[in-house]
Amino acid sequence: MRIIKKLGNAFEFFKGTIAINLAVSILPLLFGGLLLFNYSVVSFGFAISLAVKEINSKKEYLFYFNNGLSKGALWFYSWCFNFILLISGIFIFNLINRLF
């Protein structure tokens, strides 16, 4: 039960970073294609979203720490959610591409 609460809190943190990540990763998509977008989502875009979160929402980390999640754990879980989202997106994109 406790791990589900931790994952739920980590997912809330992830939801706060995904919009910035995708916004930053749009530029590589436009100029470099889908492969560069994929790399950007899990690296550069992710790092920028964490930096923005670090600057704008420093006090949020206290909430997560009180719920048993360190900053490193939040970043790790957020990266894992990011990776799962990317793999799911690739799978759906390929499925749609084959159907049409």
Side-chain angles (χ1 to χ4, degrees):
M1 184 69 164
R2 185 145 169 87
I3 189 75
I4 293 172
K5 183 178 178 185
K6 281 186 178 184
L7 285 175
N9 286 331
F11 188 72
E12 288 299 318
F13 178 82
F14 164 72
K15 288 188 327 187
T17 63
I18 192 65
I20 297 166
N21 187 350
L22 292 178
V24 168
S25 298
I26 290 294
L27 196 60
L29 175 65
L30 295 175
F31 293 111
L34 198 56
L35 185 62
L36 193 57
F37 172 77
N38 294 342
Y39 289 133
S40 177
V41 166
V42 293
S43 62
F44 183 69
F46 180 67
I48 294 295
S49 68
L50 288 181
V52 168
K53 190 82 163 174
E54 183 75 25
I55 292 168
N56 291 337
S57 305
K58 277 191 168 203
K59 295 188 182 205
E60 276 186 26
Y61 287 115
L62 184 59
F63 167 77
Y64 294 112
F65 184 75
N66 287 338
N67 284 300
L69 287 166
S70 67
K71 189 185 295 188
L74 281 173
W75 291 359
F76 174 74
Y77 285 131
S78 187
W79 187 87
C80 290
F81 287 136
N82 225 354
F83 188 72
I84 291 168
L85 178 71
L86 182 67
I87 296 299
S88 301
I90 291 170
F91 177 75
I92 291 170
F93 179 77
N94 286 334
L95 182 65
I96 291 171
N97 198 18
R98 286 184 187 209
L99 291 175
F100 300 106

